[in-house]
Amino acid sequence: MFAAVDRRCVMNHMTQEFTNFLFELNRVKAREGGRSDCQRHREKRLAVDNVHKLQRMEELIGDRRVEDERSLIKTPSDVQANNQEHDSPTFTRQIRSDQHGSPCFIYTLAFFSALGGFLFGYDTGVVSGAMLLLKREMNLSSLWQELLVSITVGAAAVSSLVGGYLNGLYGRRICILLASFIFSAGGIIMSVAQNKEVLLCGRLTVGLGIGIASMTVPVYIAEVSPSQLRGQLVTVNTLFITGGQFIASLVDGAFSYLPHDGWRYMLGLSVVPAVLQFLGFLFLPESPRWLLQKGDTQNARLVLSRIRGGVNVDEEYESIRSSIEEEKIDAGEGPVLWRILTFAPARRALIVGCGLQMFQQLSGINTVMYYSATILQMSGVQNDQMAIWLAAATAFTNFLFTLLGVWLVERVGRRKLTLGSILGTAVSLMVLAAGFLLSAQASPPVTFHPNDPSLHNSTCITYGFCESCMLNPDCGYCYGKNGTGVVESSCMPVYAANTEAAAAGRCSNGTQESAGVFWAYNYCPTSNSWIVLLGLILYLAFFAPGMGPMPWTVNSEIYPLWARSTGNACSAGVNWICNVLVSLTFLHVAQYLTYYGAFFLYSGLALLGFVFVVGCLPETKGLHLEEIESLFGRQLCSCGAGGSQNVHYTRVKGGNYRSDEDVTDDE
Ligand SMILES: O[C@H]1[C@H](O)[C@@H](O)[C@H](O)[C@@H](O)[C@H]1O
C-alpha cells in the first residue's frame, strides 16, 4: 500500500514539475515574440526531454494516471490520431460517460437561440415574393425596390459590428433578447406600413436585428455546448437560416394568390418566431463563460451545472476559469480590436474567420439563390406561379443539404467538410457557367422588328440576338414557337412597373396568351438549360453542407474568450459587407462579363478560397474552446501541413500551453 502511495507521490511531484515547466515556457513565449533561434531550439529540446522523462516515468511507475497526464501532451500525429479516435466507439462511449447529464436542456437552448437564425433566413428570403406584390401595389420604381431589399443587408452589416461591443458589455442573452425585440418591432412596422417610407423603416429595423442575431447566436450556442456536440449545434443555427429561407418561400407562394395586402402577411409573420424567442429567452440563462469573464463566479457555476444536467462540473469550470485568468495576461491593454491585431494567435484567428466569411459570399450563394427562378425559367418553366414554387424547391434543396452538414460536421470534421464543399462549389459554378456559355452561343436571333413609332428611341430594337437583348435590364425578348424552334422574335422595352410584360406590342400586359407569344425577361429560350439546372443542383448540394454553415461554426469557436465577441462581430460584418457587394454588383458584372463570365469569376474566387482553406483552416473538431486558441500559436498557412515533429501543448490543469512551433508572426 505504501508503495502505491509512494508511486503516486513521485508521480504527482514530477507531473507538477512538468506542469510548471510548460507553464513557464508558455509565458516566455507569450511575452517574447522575437526569441533567438538558439533559445527556441533549447526550449524545443527541453520540451522533448520532458516528454521522454515522462515516458520513462510511465514505464517505471506503471501508473495508469501517468497515461492520463500524458494524453494532455500531444504531437501533431497524436492530434490526428486523437481526431480519428473521436470516431471510435470507445471514444464515443467515453464521451457519453463524460457527458454531463441529459442534453435536453442544451437542445432547448440551441432551439430558442437558433430562432435567431430562422429570422435571419426568413427576413432575407421573404422579400423577393413580397416585392412582386409590393411593386404593383405601391408602384415602386426599381430604385425603391433595390433600396427595400438592400437596406436590410446593409443594416445587418452595421449592427453585426456594433453587436460585438454589446455582446462583450451586456452579454449574449441580453443581445439575443434585444435582437428578438427588434425583429418583432420590425415585423409589426412592416405589416402595418401605409407607405413605402414606413416600409423602409421596417426593413431597416429587421436588418438591425439580423446583424445582432447573426453574430451572437453562434457564439452563445458554442459557449453553452459540450465540445462533442458544439459543431452540430452551431450548424443547426445555419440549418435554421436555410429553414427560414425555405418557409419564407412557401409563405411567398401561399400569399402570392392574395394580390391585395398579401405582402403584409408575408412580412408580418416573422413576428411569431421573434416573440417566441423573446419569451423563451426571458427564462433561459446567460452563457457561463461570459459570466465568469465578468467575475460572476457563483452564477457561472450555477448555470454551468444547470446546463450540464446538475452533474459535477468542477473540472470544466476550473478549465474555463484558469483560461480566463491566463487570457488576462495574454490579452494586454487597449481596445479589443487593437489587442486582437497585435496578438499574433488572435490576429491569425481573425484572418481565418474573416477569410471564410468572405469566400462564403464570394462563392455567389445569394446570387445563385436569387437567380434560381430565372435559371428555372430558362429550363422551360414559363409560368410565374410555377417559378415561385420551384424557387421554394431550390430553397428546400439548400435546407436539405444543410441538414447533411449537421450530420457530417462531427463525423468528418470542419476542415475536410469545408475543403470538399468549396471544391465542389467551384466545379458546380463551372458547370453553371458552361451552361450559360452554351446557351449564349446558341442564342436565338431577333427576326421581327415591329413598326411602332413609340419604340424608335429605344435601344432594345438595336439588338440582333436574344443574349445581348436580355443583358440589358430595360429590355426583354418576345417570341413565338414553332415546335421547339423560336420564330418571330423581337427585343422590346420592359414595362417599368412590372417586368413580367413588355411596355408595348404583342408581349404587353394581358395580350401574351391570346397572341401565342412568350415573354422572356432576364433569360433566353435555350435547349442547353438542363446543364444550367444540373449546375444549380450540384451547387446547392456542395455548398449547403460546408461553405454555408462552416464559416459561422468555425468563427464561433476559434477566438479566445476575450476576443470572441469582437472577432465574431468583425467576421459577421465581413459576411454582410461581401453579401451587399456581390448582390449589388451582380447585374453589372453580368452586363460586362455576361452571365457565364460572372459564374466563371465566382468559380475562380471559390478556387482561391479552396487554397486559403487548405493552408489556413485547422481542425477544431472535438477540442474544448479553451484548447482551440492554441491551434493559432503557429504560423498561419501551416495549419494543413502534416508531418511536423513539433509538440503541441494543451491545457494541463490551468496551464495554457501552445504549440512548440515557431510563434513568429509572419502571416
Ligand atoms: O450561411 C448562410 C446560408 O448559406 C444562406 O443560405 C445564405 O443566404 C447566407 O448568406 C449564408 O450566410
Side-chain angles (χ1 to χ4, degrees), residues 12-266:
N12 279 346
H13 177 71
M14 291 191 78
T15 310
Q16 189 55 51
E17 263 196 5
F18 183 61
T19 305
N20 291 342
F21 161 76
L22 291 179
F23 188 66
E24 276 317 307
L25 178 60
N26 178 52
R27 287 193 174 199
V28 170
K29 278 183 173 182
R31 294 225 177 91
E32 299 173 25
R35 291 148 21 258
S36 68
D37 279 356
C38 185
Q39 274 170 303
R40 261 185 239 135
H41 187 67
R42 212 176 45 233
E43 286 165 9
K44 218 176 249 185
R45 278 198 40 201
L46 264 171
V48 174
D49 280 347
N50 275 280
V51 173
H52 288 156
K53 246 190 234 167
L54 208 66
Q55 275 171 347
R56 275 203 306 280
M57 207 163 72
E58 185 186 359
E59 282 163 20
L60 283 172
I61 300 170
D63 191 314
R64 175 94 186 98
R65 277 190 58 199
V66 179
E67 213 181 292
D68 296 344
E69 293 290 338
R70 204 167 74 108
S71 68
L72 296 167
I73 309 161
K74 301 170 187 168
T75 65
S77 48
D78 288 340
V79 173
Q80 226 172 4
N82 184 31
N83 283 346
Q84 282 161 6
E85 247 176 59
H86 284 191
D87 299 333
S88 77
T90 336
F91 180 80
T92 317
R93 234 178 294 126
Q94 186 192 327
I95 281 291
R96 295 282 168 266
S97 63
D98 283 357
Q99 249 314 288
H100 313 278
S102 143
C104 252
F105 192 48
I106 278 295
Y107 291 134
T108 313
L109 283 185
F111 171 80
F112 277 98
S113 318
L115 282 177
F118 180 87
L119 286 159
F120 161 173
Y122 186 88
D123 279 314
T124 49
V126 80
V127 69
S128 53
M131 202 55 75
L132 288 178
L133 305 182
L134 269 168
K135 64 185 178 191
R136 268 180 236 155
E137 202 168 317
M138 289 200 179
N139 209 0
L140 296 177
S141 65
S142 45
L143 176 70
W144 265 94
Q145 291 176 37
E146 266 185 17
L147 261 179
L148 284 169
V149 175
S150 40
I151 198 154
T152 306
V153 186
V158 176
S159 72
S160 60
L161 292 170
V162 180
Y165 176 72
L166 298 178
N167 251 267
L169 203 61
Y170 301 111
R172 327 310 188 201
R173 178 175 168 268
I174 295 292
C175 283
I176 294 180
L177 278 169
L178 179 70
S180 46
F181 178 78
I182 295 178
F183 275 126
S184 318
I188 294 171
I189 296 175
M190 288 188 299
S191 59
V192 300
Q194 293 303 325
N195 54 45
K196 51 185 189 274
E197 288 79 11
V198 177
L199 197 63
L200 193 68
C201 276
R203 291 286 298 161
L204 180 114
T205 312
V206 290
L208 296 177
I210 294 176
I212 297 176
S214 69
M215 63 97 9
T216 310
V217 169
V219 171
Y220 179 79
I221 301 181
E223 288 188 345
V224 296
S225 305
S227 55
Q228 75 284 358
L229 283 182
R230 189 183 60 239
Q232 236 163 29
L233 293 181
V234 182
T235 308
V236 163
N237 184 50
T238 313
L239 183 71
F240 272 51
I241 299 178
T242 53
Q245 289 170 332
F246 169 54
I247 299 291
S249 60
L250 289 185
V251 170
D252 277 354
F255 287 102
S256 64
Y257 297 98
L258 207 72
H260 186 66
D261 282 352
W263 59 270
R264 291 188 192 280
Y265 298 101
M266 296 177 185

Side-chain angles (χ1 to χ4, degrees), residues 391-663:
T394 315
F396 181 68
T397 315
N398 192 17
F399 169 76
L400 206 65
F401 282 102
T402 313
L403 196 63
L404 179 67
V406 174
W407 187 75
L408 284 176
V409 63
E410 292 298 354
R411 286 175 174 80
V412 301
R414 288 62 159 155
R415 190 178 147 80
K416 279 189 199 151
L417 188 54
T418 312
L419 278 174
S421 164
I422 198 162
L423 192 62
T425 299
V427 173
S428 325
L429 281 165
M430 278 182 210
V431 176
L432 257 177
F436 279 113
L437 176 63
L438 291 175
S439 307
Q441 281 173 348
S443 171
V446 172
T447 53
F448 175 64
H449 298 275
N451 202 5
D452 184 337
S454 68
L455 297 176
H456 283 164
N457 289 334
S458 165
T459 41
C460 301
I461 55 164
T462 59
Y463 298 117
F465 285 89
C466 175
E467 176 74 4
S468 38
C469 170
M470 70 100 174
L471 281 175
N472 184 338
D474 298 329
C475 312
Y477 191 67
C478 180
Y479 65 100
K481 272 186 189 170
N482 178 6
T484 52
V486 168
V487 289
E488 294 205 330
S489 54
S490 50
C491 182
M492 301 293 288
V494 67
Y495 179 46
N498 177 4
T499 56
E500 285 155 38
R506 301 170 300 161
C507 284
S508 59
N509 240 355
T511 57
Q512 296 172 40
E513 253 162 53
S514 52
V517 288
F518 301 90
W519 173 243
Y521 180 73
N522 242 350
Y523 70 94
C524 286
T526 165
S527 53
N528 292 313
S529 52
W530 67 270
I531 306 176
V532 181
L533 193 62
L534 176 76
L536 174 72
I537 295 168
L538 281 179
Y539 179 92
L540 292 173
F542 279 108
F543 180 92
M547 274 314 279
M550 284 312 108
W552 298 108
T553 306
V554 169
N555 266 289
S556 71
E557 38 189 29
I558 53 178
Y559 305 100
L561 185 54
W562 61 268
R564 197 166 292 149
S565 314
T566 309
N568 273 279
C570 291
S571 60
V574 167
N575 180 295
W576 289 111
I577 290 167
C578 293
N579 188 334
V580 181
L581 273 179
V582 173
S583 333
L584 285 187
T585 54
F586 176 69
L587 283 180
H588 299 281
V589 173
Q591 238 175 327
Y592 286 109
L593 299 180
T594 72
Y595 285 129
Y596 61 83
F599 285 110
F600 274 130
L601 177 71
Y602 296 141
S603 171
L605 292 169
L607 281 178
L608 217 62
F610 175 76
V611 176
F612 175 78
V613 176
V614 168
C616 305
L617 179 65
E619 184 51 83
T620 51
K621 178 184 124 183
L623 298 176
H624 288 284
L625 285 181
E626 286 69 28
E627 292 170 328
I628 291 172
E629 41 189 278
S630 69
L631 296 176
F632 293 91
R634 54 182 168 168
Q635 268 180 315
L636 198 63
C637 296
S638 62
C639 302
S644 148
Q645 286 310 305
N646 297 316
V647 180
H648 283 261
Y649 299 123
T650 54
R651 189 171 308 287
V652 183
K653 285 192 181 142
N656 175 22
Y657 307 115
R658 275 180 293 227
S659 153
D660 191 38
E661 294 194 39
D662 197 346
V663 284

